[in-house]
């Protein structure tokens, strides 16, 4: 029987692990299918406090893991495939093996939605990004493309226009899902060019190990053409990783956990941390902060129960 199981090994999960391990609770962290979380997909992180020269995302998250392990946290590679949170202890199924725990921290994150093109996947971190805040800075004076028609796409295009020589916003339809104010702001930005009814068919150039351009297609005319691009940013939404808790942990219509204050969920003893609950900030530092909050709540919860 575990005191605490933490699902997810991004900033939220690792920080929760550091805190619960230091509190002698011997946490078990289930690494998940994207071990290291979103940071493992980025390169240089320049906005995590404490690193004046910046630090590579994978290194930052690996440091957090080591720090937690130094205090006794255990890590288990694997995916949670099922959960039973109907009674205590909670039961978690990791690829066929059930384990039991007194408390649970859900730090399973939200995965960026990708187009799913083979070359796009190969160039993640090498010109393909899902985070303008993280990577925009690297495209100073370069050609940037943003994909999407929602608020995130408008916000990212506006933000990226501070860096890029030009920003092309590519959207698959004529109408936009974005709110009027965000759309108007992007439209008023002279650096942003709109390409509607346009799909991305391919991303180049894997042989060079960096993004150099894309193959675009007009869905109405079927005309296809190539366009030079240096930074290729996806803003087509995120998918919170809450499938295995469906019908148990309360979520909103998009699957994000609904917070019941602090790090609490609707189930006593189950806490949330990071992007799995946060659709607004989505930063490494806010996820870490949320992991700390969840850990402190776990400590207090177990103490109140006399463990
Ligand atoms: P979103 O509203 O779901 O928009 C996603 C966009 O990506 C849509 O335009 C969608 O096209 C497009 N898309 C999805 N899959 C695609 C694919 N495979 N290929 C091409 N295009 C694809 O997501 P979001 O913009 O991340 O926003 C999420 C939530 O956060 C929203 O509620 C939004 O209002 C909120 N938000 C608010 C702010 C703000 O107020 N400052 C900023 C960011 C986000 P379709 O239009 O055809 O579906």
């Amino acid at each position: 029987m575990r005191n605490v199981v933490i699902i997810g090994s991004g900033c939220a999960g690792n920080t929760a692990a550091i805190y619960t391990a230091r509190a002698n609770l011997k946490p078990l962290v289930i690494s998940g299918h994207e071990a290291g979380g979103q940071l493992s997909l980025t390169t240089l992180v320049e906005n995590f406090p404490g690193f004046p020269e910046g630090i590579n995302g994978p290194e930052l998250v690996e440091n957090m893991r080591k720090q937690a392990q130094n205090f006794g946290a255990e890590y288990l590679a694997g995916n949670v495939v099922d959960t039973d949170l109907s009674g205590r202890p909670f039961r978690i199924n990791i690829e066929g093996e059930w384990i039991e725990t007194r408390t649970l921290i859900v730090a399973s994150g939200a995965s960026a939605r990708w187009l799913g093109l083979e070359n796009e996947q190969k160039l993640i971190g090498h010109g393909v990004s899902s985070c303008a805040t993280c990577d925009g800075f690297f495209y100073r004076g370069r050609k940037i493309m943003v994909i999407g028609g929602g608020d995130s796409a408008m916000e990212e295009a506006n933000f990226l226009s501070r860096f890029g020589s030009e920003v092309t916003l590519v959207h698959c339809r004529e109408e936009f899902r974005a709110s009027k104010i965000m759309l108007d702001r992007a439209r008023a930005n002279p650096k942003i060019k709109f390409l509607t009814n346009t799909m991305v068919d391919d991303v180049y150039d894997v042989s060079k190990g960096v993004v150099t351009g894309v193959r675009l297609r007009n869905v109405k005319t079927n005309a296809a053409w190539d366009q030079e691009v240096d930074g290729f940013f996806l803003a087509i939404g995120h998918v919170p990783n809450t499938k295995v808790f469906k019908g148990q942990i309360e979520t909103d219509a998009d699957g994000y956990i609904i917070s019941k204050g602090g790090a609490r969920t609707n189930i006593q003893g189950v806490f949330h941390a990071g992007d799995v609950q946060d659709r607004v900030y989505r930063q490494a530092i806010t996820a870490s902060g949320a992991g700390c909050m969840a850990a402190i709540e776990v400590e207090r919860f177990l103490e109140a129960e006399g463990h």
Side-chain angles (χ1 to χ4, degrees), residues 113 115 148-153 155 171-173 177 182 235-237 279 282:
R113 194 176 278 141
L115 295 174
D151 283 338
S152 292
E155 191 170 68
H171 180 40
C172 55
R173 294 189 295 142
R177 191 171 294 278
M182 304 278 282
I236 58 174
R279 58 157 82 232
R282 299 171 179 160

Coordinates of all heavy atoms in Angstrom, one line a residue, residues 113 115 148-153 155 171-173 177 182 235-237 279 282, ligand 1:
R113 N -2.0 19.1 -29.3 CA -2.6 18.4 -30.4 C -1.6 18.7 -31.6 O -1.3 19.8 -31.8 CB -4.0 18.9 -30.7 CG -4.8 18.0 -31.6 CD -6.2 18.5 -31.8 NE -7.1 18.0 -30.7 CZ -8.0 18.8 -30.2 NH1 -8.2 20.0 -30.6 NH2 -8.8 18.3 -29.3
L115 N -0.7 17.9 -35.9 CA -1.4 17.5 -37.1 C -1.2 16.0 -37.4 O -2.1 15.4 -38.0 CB -0.7 18.3 -38.3 CG -0.9 19.8 -38.3 CD1 -0.1 20.4 -39.4 CD2 -2.4 20.2 -38.4
G148 N -3.8 27.1 -36.9 CA -5.0 27.1 -36.0 C -5.9 28.3 -36.2 O -5.5 29.3 -36.8
G149 N -7.1 28.2 -35.7 CA -8.1 29.3 -35.9 C -8.8 29.6 -34.6 O -9.8 30.3 -34.6
G150 N -8.2 29.2 -33.4 CA -8.8 29.5 -32.1 C -8.1 30.7 -31.5 O -7.2 31.3 -32.0
D151 N -8.5 30.9 -30.2 CA -7.8 32.0 -29.5 C -6.3 31.8 -29.3 O -5.5 32.8 -29.3 CB -8.5 32.1 -28.1 CG -9.8 32.8 -28.1 OD1 -10.1 33.6 -29.1 OD2 -10.6 32.7 -27.2
S152 N -5.9 30.6 -29.1 CA -4.5 30.3 -28.9 C -3.7 30.7 -30.2 O -2.7 31.3 -30.1 CB -4.3 28.8 -28.7 OG -4.8 28.4 -27.4
A153 N -4.3 30.4 -31.3 CA -3.6 30.7 -32.6 C -3.4 32.2 -32.7 O -2.4 32.7 -33.1 CB -4.3 30.1 -33.8
E155 N -3.5 34.5 -30.2 CA -2.6 35.0 -29.2 C -1.1 34.7 -29.6 O -0.3 35.5 -29.5 CB -2.9 34.2 -27.9 CG -2.3 34.8 -26.7 CD -2.9 34.2 -25.4 OE1 -2.7 33.0 -25.2 OE2 -3.5 34.9 -24.7
H171 N -5.2 28.5 -41.4 CA -6.4 28.0 -40.8 C -7.1 27.2 -41.9 O -7.2 27.6 -43.0 CB -7.2 29.1 -40.2 CG -8.5 28.6 -39.6 ND1 -8.5 27.4 -38.8 CD2 -9.8 29.0 -39.6 CE1 -9.8 27.2 -38.4 NE2 -10.5 28.2 -38.9
C172 N -7.7 26.0 -41.5 CA -8.3 25.1 -42.4 C -9.6 25.5 -42.9 O -10.1 25.0 -43.9 CB -8.4 23.7 -41.8 SG -9.3 23.7 -40.2
R173 N -10.3 26.5 -42.3 CA -11.6 27.0 -42.7 C -11.6 28.5 -43.0 O -10.6 29.1 -42.8 CB -12.6 26.7 -41.6 CG -12.9 25.3 -41.3 CD -14.0 25.1 -40.4 NE -13.8 25.7 -39.0 CZ -14.7 26.3 -38.3 NH1 -15.9 26.6 -38.8 NH2 -14.4 26.8 -37.1
R177 N -12.8 30.2 -35.0 CA -13.3 29.8 -33.7 C -12.9 30.9 -32.7 O -13.5 31.0 -31.6 CB -12.7 28.4 -33.3 CG -13.3 27.8 -32.2 CD -12.8 26.4 -32.0 NE -13.2 25.5 -33.2 CZ -14.4 24.9 -33.2 NH1 -15.2 25.0 -32.3 NH2 -14.7 24.2 -34.3
M182 N -9.9 38.8 -30.2 CA -8.6 38.2 -30.5 C -8.3 38.2 -32.0 O -7.2 38.5 -32.4 CB -8.5 36.8 -29.9 CG -8.8 36.7 -28.4 SD -7.4 37.1 -27.4 CE -6.5 35.6 -27.5
A235 N -1.1 25.5 -32.9 CA -2.0 26.1 -31.9 C -3.3 25.5 -32.2 O -4.3 26.3 -32.4 CB -1.9 27.6 -31.9
I236 N -3.4 24.2 -32.2 CA -4.7 23.6 -32.6 C -5.3 22.8 -31.4 O -6.1 21.9 -31.5 CB -4.5 22.6 -33.8 CG1 -3.5 21.5 -33.5 CG2 -4.1 23.4 -35.1 CD1 -3.4 20.5 -34.7
G237 N -5.0 23.3 -30.2 CA -5.6 22.8 -29.0 C -4.8 21.8 -28.2 O -3.7 21.4 -28.8
R279 N -5.9 25.3 -18.1 CA -6.0 25.5 -19.6 C -5.5 27.0 -19.8 O -5.6 27.4 -21.0 CB -7.4 25.3 -20.1 CG -8.5 26.1 -19.5 CD -9.6 26.2 -20.4 NE -10.6 25.1 -20.4 CZ -11.0 24.5 -21.6 NH1 -10.5 25.0 -22.7 NH2 -11.8 23.5 -21.5
R282 N -0.4 27.2 -18.2 CA 0.4 26.1 -18.9 C 1.9 26.3 -19.0 O 2.5 26.0 -20.0 CB -0.1 26.0 -20.4 CG -1.5 25.6 -20.6 CD -1.8 25.8 -22.0 NE -3.2 25.4 -22.3 CZ -3.8 25.8 -23.4 NH1 -3.2 26.6 -24.3 NH2 -5.0 25.5 -23.7
Ligands
LIG1 P1 -9.6 25.7 -29.9 O1 -10.5 26.8 -29.5 O2 -10.1 24.3 -29.7 O3 -9.1 25.9 -31.4 C1 -8.4 25.0 -32.1 C2 -8.3 25.4 -33.5 O4 -7.4 24.5 -34.2 C3 -9.6 25.5 -34.2 O5 -9.6 26.6 -35.1 C4 -9.6 24.2 -35.0 O6 -10.2 24.2 -36.2 C5 -8.1 24.0 -35.3 N1 -7.8 22.6 -35.5 C6 -8.0 21.6 -34.6 N2 -7.5 20.4 -35.1 C7 -6.9 20.7 -36.3 C8 -6.2 20.0 -37.3 N3 -6.0 18.7 -37.1 N4 -5.8 20.6 -38.4 C9 -6.0 21.9 -38.5 N5 -6.6 22.7 -37.6 C10 -7.1 22.1 -36.5 O7 -8.2 25.7 -29.0 P2 -7.4 26.9 -28.4 O8 -7.3 28.0 -29.4 O9 -6.2 26.3 -27.8 O10 -8.3 27.4 -27.2 C11 -8.7 26.5 -26.1 C12 -9.5 27.3 -25.1 O11 -8.7 28.2 -24.4 C13 -10.6 28.1 -25.8 O12 -11.7 28.1 -24.9 C14 -10.1 29.5 -25.8 O13 -11.1 30.5 -25.8 C15 -9.2 29.5 -24.6 N6 -8.1 30.5 -24.8 C16 -8.3 31.8 -24.4 C17 -7.3 32.7 -24.6 C18 -7.5 34.1 -24.1 O14 -8.7 34.5 -23.9 N7 -6.5 34.9 -23.9 C19 -6.1 32.4 -25.2 C20 -5.9 31.0 -25.6 C21 -6.9 30.1 -25.4 P3 -11.8 24.3 -36.3 O15 -12.1 25.8 -36.0 O16 -12.2 23.9 -37.7 O17 -12.4 23.4 -35.2

